[in-house]
Amino acid sequence: MARTSERITDRSAVRRLHDRLGFGPRAGDLDVGFDATLDRLLAPAAPVVPPELGAPPQQPARDDREARKAANKARVAQEKVLLSWWLDRMVAEPTAAERLTWFWHGHFATSSQKVRSPQLMLAQNQTLRRHALGSFTDLARAMVVDGAMIRWLDGNDNRKGSPNENLAREFLELFTLGIGHYTETDVFEGARALTGWTVRRTSPQPRLVPARHDAGSKTIFGRAGRYDAKGFADLALAQTASAPYVAGRLWFRLVSPAPPSAAVRRRLQQAYGERRDVRALVRAVATDPAFTDTASTLVKQPVEWAVGLLRALGVRPSALDDMTRLRLAAGLRGMGQLPLRPPSVGGWPSGAGWLTTAAGVARLHVAQLVAKHADLRALEQGDRVDGVRALLGVDAWSDRTRQALSGLRDPRQLAAVAACAPEYVVSG
Amino acid sequence: MDNLTRRRFLTMSGVTAAGALAVGATRVDWSDLMTAAVDDPLDAGDAVLVVVTLYGGNDGLNTVVPAADRAYQDARPDLAYQPDEVLDLGEGLGLNPGLKGLKELWDDESLAIVRGVGYPKPDRSHFRSMAIWQTAAPEGAVSTGWLGRWLDAAGGDPLLAVSVEPTLPPLLAGATTAAASMPVGGLKLPGGRLGSAFAALGTSAAGEERWRAEVARSVADLHSAVRVLGGAMHEQPDQQDEEQDEERTKGASAGGSSQLARQLDLVAGLVEAGVPTRAYSVSLGGFDTHADERGTQQRLLTELDTALSGFVRRMRTSDRGQQVVVLVYSEFGRRVHANGSDGTDHGTAGPMFLIGDRVGGGFHGQQPSLTDLADGDLKATTDFRDVYAAVLGDVLGAEPERVLDGHTGRLDGLIRA
């Protein structure tokens, strides 16, 4: 696919860095240069204090309807605490580690709907966070024995003599290799390697129950051995299809729905290297000429759009009242993307999948909600239309949008409608 | 993009239960079509198709159960239903005890069961198999859904098909047309200056970048949709998570929605209001029953049964509703043998349901053998495209071969003239 490529301006490139490696720019961010911005984004994140969720609710007796209802209610409340905490982290954190934590959540997509344990979801979040910019080897090894993942993909039922293939299959198909790069034998034998990993209700710490583990020889990718979970993960990662797959997934979410060219792919793989270094991979993505190509546009995912808006307008979720936070979560659900609740293990859709009629209504409601809680005094005088452009970090308005916004006097209405403009919904 | 690149791209995008296939689609002037829709409401004689997708791989053998078959009992001793538990349909088969409403429809001859439906060289990946069913292309990389291609062929009116889910399923994405999507909660837009400014964002800007142009178009589409459909909507509170208990969510890792009754309620309202939509898509998730299957599946089937029988009863009370045909499918059945965690792993062929007054009730297709298996799996006896062909031809009045890439098979007698 040959085409003459054009570059975006330096200032737009800094804005794009914030959009893609972070959650969008804040006031003043665009006055810093590209290299300094990239270094700051890729710097180690400060240690994170996890939220206090409290203990899991007591497991009620099966026939006690009231107790079951109460336990469900307590769990839902804990999940809300976790969600608000995470959204607040995304708004507050100035480094790429937070954005990559979010990326990996979509990659190793696990839903609280089935896991039914905010404690396990938090533990998984901590693991994604720890390895967000580290080695994919460590991340993949950790996720194949992660408690939430085990419950999500039926690991508890995967026992010696009766392997359950769910986790082994998705690990190969969605997490490490992509479809077409493994056989049914690899799935079956891989499931055997994962037997015995179990997570209990009482602890977020999964463990290997030796009596349930099949320690016999397995043949995976044509090699025989007494493989365990780590051995299985390592075999998958060693396949030649793995590095391009992982780099391609990252590219798809951070740069463009168009796959990288062969030359770009080679550069990315070289950076990723034998250590499977995610930070180096992300740096290679951001410094590749294709990153600043005008054609590398993306529809922001709803969470990225909403968090970016909260950042730009200086609204911290932790400072909002419970009802507003609930409405924010309902709005994200309406747009089709609630963190901790991906629609399936395949993760979230992309591109036009976010531009449904249903999502459009929810987007406007969320924009109004955020604008209502923002300090918008800067928009009370002067060229308000240009003021809201600068506030949101948009490169330029089209005549269409300038005209649409020109009739609005109320700063809150102005900010809400501007946030729904194509120039803000799409990361140019 | 060549086919291989396209396929890799779709794989990377995780095709999944989403509109990834719609990438590069939709070039429609909604407001013109909306005006036509107001001028030209659904004809009372026009049939309407409602597609129900069961995500996760519904276990066909425990849905239409060969309870008296020795091989069935031997393959899954702890999972099997006994002959006195199932709702007898004859020919040695019975419905899952959760499907009481469907049994009544069967007795009314309003339920057709197509047995052993699948496709050649079955794929056990949820995503690949669902993509095959939704694109109707078992062989290769096709980027459009079967109803999307029907939309293209029918003249590109996106209101002809509506998804009552938050995201657009690939089956509704064509090359040039994507269906509209309606939220279960209804559409409500603000008025006043804010409303006018928001509506003005839907104006196209000359030479605009492709995705921005799509955002603008989606805003315009939204306003047109609200104009036409707004009256049919009603606000309902979102379903509380507290109501979902564990058995309901046990098989949830393969996607799909959880509010089938409400989705169908909305569809019923749209049909009754005379919206000129000919195809609707709804879904129910949770069928990926790798463990503790019996309770989970029976609960889901009961939910399906309650939602479907309520919908069909309501549809019978209006002329337009009597033209509705419901089609129910899942991406695959499950293995014949249980897996040792009282569940079943991904398998192959399964039954399809067609429901409605216009349906030729009774069995269609052959029941697959439980002893002549392929690698432990049922051998499909009917190609799903034969069923699509019947629906395309006899419900939607289309030329099936054109939509199904030259596929010529067609199941006769499924839809009454």
Side-chain angles (χ1 to χ4, degrees):
Chain A
M1 197 162 35
R3 61 150 192 264
T4 39
S5 56
E6 285 177 50
R7 311 259 146 259
I8 54 177
T9 66
D10 290 351
R11 195 177 169 86
S12 299
V14 173
R15 194 261 314 139
R16 193 178 271 184
L17 265 187
H18 283 286
D19 278 354
R20 313 295 177 85
L21 270 59
F23 283 98
R26 280 193 281 210
D29 278 349
L30 300 186
D31 299 328
V32 181
F34 187 92
D35 293 345
T37 301
L38 182 58
D39 287 345
R40 201 204 76 197
L41 283 165
L42 289 179
V48 167
V49 183
E52 289 292 338
L53 301 183
Q58 285 275 318
Q59 182 67 14
R62 283 198 79 77
D63 53 358
D64 189 341
R65 249 189 92 82
E66 285 307 306
R68 286 179 69 148
K69 245 175 136 166
N72 281 346
K73 212 171 161 173
R75 202 179 48 244
V76 167
Q78 290 176 340
E79 185 179 334
K80 282 181 193 146
V81 171
L82 177 56
L83 173 67
S84 293
W85 170 80
W86 194 6
L87 286 173
D88 193 65
R89 292 288 331 148
M90 294 182 194
V91 172
E93 176 62 38
T95 71
E98 198 64 42
R99 176 57 185 267
L100 268 291
T101 302
W102 163 244
F103 168 79
W104 293 123
H105 175 50
H107 182 84
F108 293 101
T110 305
S111 172
S112 186
Q113 189 201 3
K114 176 172 165 182
V115 174
R116 304 173 72 79
S117 163
Q119 289 76 16
L120 285 177
M121 295 302 290
L122 172 60
Q124 185 185 72
N125 186 278
Q126 298 288 81
T127 304
L128 297 175
R129 198 167 280 287
R130 191 158 51 247
H131 301 296
L133 284 168
S135 160
F136 188 71
T137 314
D138 296 337
L139 180 56
R141 283 177 184 168
M143 292 316 287
V144 82
V145 294
D146 173 77
M149 184 65 77
I150 286 171
R151 193 167 293 166
W152 172 233
L153 296 179
D154 302 308
N156 275 353
D157 300 312
N158 188 16
R159 294 186 302 263
K160 181 180 181 175
S162 63
N164 185 307
E165 297 174 0
N166 208 4
L167 175 53
R169 178 183 303 281
E170 308 305 7
F171 189 81
L172 298 180
E173 177 180 334
L174 298 170
F175 303 159
T176 57
L177 292 177
I179 207 158
H181 298 290
Y182 55 88
T183 65
E184 288 296 318
T185 307
D186 300 328
V187 171
F188 180 80
E189 297 282 283
R192 288 180 57 213
L194 301 182
T195 47
W197 277 96
T198 310
V199 62
R200 309 201 165 204
R201 288 194 183 281
T202 46
S203 162
Q205 204 60 48
R207 61 193 194 100
L208 181 66
V209 180
R212 291 177 167 214
H213 180 65
D214 181 346
S217 178
K218 300 108 188 164
T219 303
I220 308 175
F221 297 115
R223 293 177 54 181
R226 295 173 177 279
Y227 295 113
D228 59 6
K230 179 166 165 288
F232 169 63
D234 288 352
L235 279 176
L237 293 178
Q239 297 297 300
T240 51
S242 182
Y245 178 75
V246 174
R249 294 296 302 205
L250 199 77
W251 186 268
F252 180 77
R253 288 294 183 192
L254 265 44
V255 185
S256 168
S261 68
V264 174
R265 216 164 46 230
R266 270 195 302 278
R267 290 197 284 273
L268 299 185
Q269 271 175 249
Q270 195 162 25
Y272 183 66
E274 285 181 7
R275 280 196 59 244
R276 304 191 180 93
D277 185 337
V278 177
R279 182 179 267 105
L281 174 61
V282 172
R283 182 177 281 280
V285 163
T287 51
D288 199 282
F291 184 78
T292 47
D293 192 315
T294 49
S296 296
T297 56
L298 281 178
V299 179
K300 292 175 186 170
Q301 298 194 73
V303 165
E304 292 153 19
W305 172 86
V307 170
L309 184 63
L310 287 158
R311 283 168 64 83
L313 300 189
V315 180
R316 283 284 294 263
S318 57
L320 299 172
D321 60 279
D322 284 353
M323 182 47 74
T324 304
R325 280 205 297 260
L326 194 65
R327 290 179 59 198
L328 179 62
L332 287 172
R333 187 193 282 259
M335 285 191 282
Q337 188 172 50
L338 192 62
L340 308 172
R341 298 264 171 163
S344 81
V345 64
W348 279 287
S350 64
W354 298 124
L355 304 180
T356 62
T357 40
V361 180
R363 191 185 301 123
L364 181 60
H365 286 170
V366 172
Q368 287 179 275
L369 189 72
V370 176
K372 190 175 151 194
H373 290 84
D375 178 357
L376 298 171
R377 274 174 296 187
L379 299 181
E380 280 169 10
Q381 58 218 329
D383 182 348
R384 298 161 195 232
V385 174
D386 193 60
V388 75
R389 180 200 61 75
L391 200 57
L392 296 180
V394 167
D395 298 349
W397 293 132
S398 64
D399 290 344
R400 175 261 333 275
T401 300
R402 186 179 297 282
Q403 196 152 10
L405 299 178
S406 64
L408 294 170
R409 304 287 298 168
D410 179 346
R412 289 191 289 209
Q413 294 192 345
L414 182 60
V417 177
C420 296
E423 294 89 330
Y424 190 70
V425 173
V426 174
S427 169
Chain B
M1 270 188 279
D2 61 32
N3 269 348
L4 195 67
T5 320
R6 178 79 186 165
R7 178 171 179 188
R8 188 179 299 126
F9 161 56
L10 289 172
T11 307
M12 286 204 309
S13 72
V15 170
T16 70
L21 288 169
V23 167
T26 346
R27 203 167 306 278
V28 165
D29 182 356
W30 254 78
S31 52
D32 290 351
L33 293 161
M34 288 302 105
T35 314
V38 177
D39 288 346
D40 182 23
L42 181 69
D43 191 282
D46 274 350
V48 171
L49 175 67
V50 179
V51 176
V52 184
T53 303
L54 306 180
Y55 282 92
N58 176 39
D59 184 6
L61 282 176
N62 271 13
T63 304
V64 178
V65 189
D69 193 323
R70 198 62 248 164
Y72 164 77
Q73 294 290 342
D74 288 347
R76 36 172 77 185
D78 296 325
L79 261 189
Y81 286 96
Q82 297 309 309
D84 61 350
E85 290 178 287
V86 298
L87 313 170
D88 187 34
L89 301 173
E91 302 189 28
L93 296 168
L95 278 176
N96 183 291
L99 297 174
K100 294 188 173 60
L102 290 194
K103 175 62 165 55
E104 288 176 21
L105 292 170
W106 172 270
D107 294 337
D108 287 352
E109 296 180 11
S110 302
L111 168 63
I113 298 177
V114 189
R115 300 177 289 196
V117 189
Y119 54 88
K121 288 188 258 167
D123 197 299
R124 292 202 188 102
S125 155
H126 288 294
F127 305 101
R128 185 66 199 128
S129 195
M130 193 52 97
I132 287 169
W133 275 85
Q134 296 210 359
T135 59
E139 294 301 334
V142 167
S143 61
T144 50
W146 66 286
L147 285 176
R149 291 196 297 277
W150 164 71
L151 275 177
D152 288 343
D157 179 352
L159 200 66
L160 274 177
V162 168
S163 161
V164 190
E165 302 172 77
T167 49
L168 195 67
L171 83 148
L172 292 181
T176 55
T177 318
S181 147
M182 293 297 132
V184 160
L187 300 172
K188 227 168 125 184
L189 284 175
R193 282 180 174 223
L194 179 91
S196 334
F198 180 61
L201 293 178
T203 316
S204 66
E208 191 160 42
E209 183 267 336
R210 169 257 180 120
W211 286 117
R212 288 188 193 173
E214 291 225 15
V215 175
R217 193 153 45 235
S218 77
V219 172
D221 287 357
L222 168 58
H223 284 84
S224 308
V226 169
R227 266 205 306 284
V228 170
L229 301 179
M233 304 289 155
H234 46 286
E235 289 270 14
Q236 282 176 315
D238 203 10
Q239 182 174 342
Q240 292 299 303
D241 294 321
E242 286 95 309
E243 290 170 18
Q244 290 202 11
D245 63 17
E246 191 157 17
E247 282 196 339
R248 173 67 183 75
T249 57
K250 189 95 189 167
S253 59
S257 318
S258 62
Q259 303 172 21
L260 184 63
R262 290 180 53 195
Q263 294 175 43
L264 286 172
D265 200 35
L266 178 55
V267 171
L270 296 179
V271 172
E272 288 164 358
V275 170
T277 297
R278 299 288 305 276
Y280 293 92
S281 167
V282 298
S283 75
L284 180 64
F287 288 91
D288 196 17
T289 49
H290 286 277
D292 302 328
E293 174 178 313
R294 238 180 100 134
T296 304
Q297 192 209 19
Q298 188 167 328
R299 221 181 139 84
L300 284 166
L301 290 179
T302 304
E303 183 177 345
L304 176 71
D305 185 75
T306 309
L308 283 178
S309 45
F311 176 71
V312 171
R313 265 199 307 277
R314 176 169 167 185
M315 287 290 85
R316 280 181 173 165
T317 60
S318 69
D319 289 348
R320 286 189 176 114
Q322 285 163 18
Q323 304 297 320
V324 169
V325 172
V326 183
L327 175 151
V328 186
Y329 77 101
S330 190
E331 72 265 39
F332 41 58
R334 308 191 74 86
R335 300 258 167 99
V336 175
H337 285 264
N339 66 5
S341 14
D342 295 330
T344 47
D345 290 322
H346 304 176
T348 53
M352 283 173 87
F353 292 149
L354 284 101
I355 309 165
D357 288 351
R358 297 196 45 182
V359 159
F363 286 122
H364 300 261
Q366 296 303 309
Q367 180 70 9
S369 164
L370 285 169
T371 48
D372 177 23
L373 300 174
D375 203 11
D377 273 318
L378 299 176
K379 290 181 180 170
T381 57
T382 301
D383 192 301
F384 71 92
R385 289 168 295 180
D386 297 358
V387 178
Y388 286 180
V391 165
L392 282 163
D394 300 334
V395 179
L396 298 177
E399 296 170 50
E401 284 180 47
R402 206 171 144 198
V403 173
L404 299 175
D405 190 30
H407 182 82
T408 50
R410 178 160 168 171
L411 204 55
D412 291 324
L414 206 49
I415 309 295
R416 292 186 198 140

